[in-house]
Amino acid sequence: MTTLTALESEVNELRTKLNQLESGHNESLDTIWMMLCAMLVFFMHAGFSLLEAGSVRFKNTQNILAKNLIVVTGGFLCWYVLGYALALGAVEEPNKFSGGTNFVMDGLWDDKTTFRTWFFQGAFCATGATIVSGAMAERTKLLGFSIYVVLMTSIIYPIVAYWGWSGSGFLYYEETKSIVGPSYMDFAGSGIVHMVGGVGALCGAIIVGARNGRFDSETADEFDGHSVPFCVLGTFFLWFGWYGFNPGSTLEMHDTAAATKAGLVATNTTLAPCVSGLLVFLLRAKVVQPRRLDVGGFCNGILAGLVAITAGCAFVKSWEAILIGLFGGLIYQGASMLLKLLKIDDVVDAFPVHGACGAWGVLALGFFGNPDEGMGGNGVFYGGDQLGVQIVALLLIALWSAYLSVAAFLPLRMLGALRLSDDFQKQGADVMEHSPSKAYADQGASKNETTLV
């Protein structure tokens, strides 16, 4: 009996050690996965920088790059002080509007697994802010834009993230509920990230106004971006980073279910942009202006498909992802043409790509996704009841983002802290306020720049 008791005790001890090893192993796998994906999301800022730099004229290259650097540096500091607390700061009796703990990382040392979440979600937060910079390029003051970055990364995005991702917000609580029925579905942020940034971009572009001469027939051609290669490289960088953005939103990688889901997400994140990019390229070559091969339009078509599939990438089959991408391309092209018709100067088509296609990505989950497949889908095409909450979420996100964006941009414009003067726009912000005064050492005079003598 003594021997049997000793053996039983030894087995229990070994079982405890095995469980500890398994727990540590799972935690390590999840951390490695999330850190890798967070770094890919962070790398997307290189893509945004190249894309936006290529879309502006020589004389404003450094200025737009400075804005991208401010988004990351200032945005992460705001996330540290306030943003994370409002987005994910859990309290004992949570409300449905915002979090309220972990300001300046207070309490994160008590559960060190939250550091990976802080970094991963912080990269998402900065992405929402940088979407706005490209739309307002070439005529926006650095000070005014920086103030908006503080608001976006401290309040606008974090509150929306709380609503949809904290597990306690209006749109998603008690795992299956929202204030209007089933919980809101947005796997990686078509609405929570991209639509927030896209709506902010639209408000900013309207309030700051168009660049001087942008819609004059005699000078419109002078506003072409200075580097198509930058735009293409930036698009590939963003697409590459999207494989952290979407698959990384599994938030774990220690079991077969998470691994297979990440594989599905990566597949859908590949197919949708292929379809949307080709569609826009063909439309612009044969159907709509310029009726020539438009590489820049091809790039934005790809990004439109990526944005559109971001919400549903884990919940739909691949043929559904292709359809979502197809409609995403159509919606992007229609929104882009509408902005030009209304003479709204969005330099990089930030709203058509992120705002309009982000909204479509949210709505698409109301239609697609079969509940019987066990993937979490709940679309009306299969008898699901998801569409209502997706519509409500779209309206809430759009209204919140627009209201606070207008509340920030309008006073800045009235106080003279938002729009660059006519002289700045003519000479270029690089010459007027940057050192060195030009982005390229051998930069000569061209139709897209003015050289000071």
Side-chain angles (χ1 to χ4, degrees), residues 190-246:
S190 286
I192 292 173
V193 180
H194 294 283
M195 206 173 95
V196 168
V199 171
L202 178 63
C203 295
I206 292 172
I207 293 173
V208 76
R211 291 166 287 179
N212 287 341
R214 171 64 182 89
F215 294 108
D216 294 345
S217 57
E218 296 180 358
T219 58
D221 290 343
E222 298 177 9
F223 291 85
D224 293 340
H226 82 272
S227 178
V228 173
F230 276 13
C231 293
V232 174
L233 283 174
T235 300
F236 275 118
F237 281 11
L238 286 167
W239 197 347
F240 178 66
W242 234 288
Y243 292 117
F245 207 95
N246 287 4

Side-chain angles (χ1 to χ4, degrees), residues 402-434:
Y403 175 76
L404 288 189
S405 295
V406 171
F409 285 132
L410 196 56
L412 288 170
R413 177 65 194 272
M414 294 173 68
L415 293 170
L418 190 64
R419 184 176 174 87
L420 288 172
S421 67
D422 293 350
D423 195 36
F424 260 77
Q425 292 189 54
K426 180 180 179 180
Q427 305 295 350
D430 287 5
V431 167
M432 297 294 285
E433 61 182 358
H434 286 268

Side-chain angles (χ1 to χ4, degrees), residues 148 151-161 196 400-401 404-405 408:
Y148 180 76
L151 182 65
M152 170 64 87
T153 54
S154 297
I155 298 175
I156 299 176
Y157 169 81
I159 294 295
V160 175
V196 168
W400 171 259
S401 304
L404 288 189
S405 295

Side-chain angles (χ1 to χ4, degrees), residues 271-281 298 301-306 325-326 328-329:
L271 291 172
C274 291
V275 175
S276 59
L278 285 168
L279 176 62
V280 173
F281 192 49
F298 202 162
I302 288 170
L303 296 177
L306 287 165
L326 183 71

Side-chain angles (χ1 to χ4, degrees), residues 112-334:
K112 295 182 179 63
T113 63
T114 52
F115 285 116
R116 69 179 186 226
T117 303
W118 184 94
F119 178 43
F120 185 75
Q121 293 291 346
F124 274 55
C125 180
T127 298
T130 203
I131 291 168
V132 182
S133 63
M136 302 173 64
E138 298 202 294
R139 77 278 198 194
T140 305
K141 289 185 177 180
L142 201 59
L143 174 61
F145 177 73
S146 299
I147 292 172
Y148 180 76
V149 168
V150 172
L151 182 65
M152 170 64 87
T153 54
S154 297
I155 298 175
I156 299 176
Y157 169 81
I159 294 295
V160 175
Y162 182 86
W163 293 348
W165 282 342
S166 69
S168 301
F170 289 123
L171 302 175
Y172 178 70
Y173 64 92
E174 295 182 10
E175 297 187 358
T176 60
K177 298 180 181 179
S178 73
I179 57 173
V180 290
S183 59
Y184 169 61
M185 295 173 65
D186 190 349
F187 186 73
S190 286
I192 292 173
V193 180
H194 294 283
M195 206 173 95
V196 168
V199 171
L202 178 63
C203 295
I206 292 172
I207 293 173
V208 76
R211 291 166 287 179
N212 287 341
R214 171 64 182 89
F215 294 108
D216 294 345
S217 57
E218 296 180 358
T219 58
D221 290 343
E222 298 177 9
F223 291 85
D224 293 340
H226 82 272
S227 178
V228 173
F230 276 13
C231 293
V232 174
L233 283 174
T235 300
F236 275 118
F237 281 11
L238 286 167
W239 197 347
F240 178 66
W242 234 288
Y243 292 117
F245 207 95
N246 287 4
S249 292
T250 60
L251 305 181
E252 58 184 12
M253 187 53 71
H254 66 262
D255 57 29
T256 303
T260 54
K261 180 180 284 189
L264 172 68
V265 170
T267 300
N268 289 341
T269 303
T270 303
L271 291 172
C274 291
V275 175
S276 59
L278 285 168
L279 176 62
V280 173
F281 192 49
L282 290 172
L283 284 174
R284 294 194 176 185
K286 300 296 183 181
V287 181
V288 300
Q289 293 295 331
R291 291 191 177 87
R292 297 177 70 87
L293 300 180
D294 184 350
V295 174
F298 202 162
C299 290
N300 275 342
I302 288 170
L303 296 177
L306 287 165
V307 171
I309 197 58
T310 291
C313 53
F315 308 124
V316 301
K317 288 189 172 182
S318 296
W319 67 268
E320 293 174 302
I322 289 173
L323 285 178
I324 291 171
L326 183 71
F327 283 102
L330 290 172
I331 289 167
Y332 159 72
Q333 181 60 41

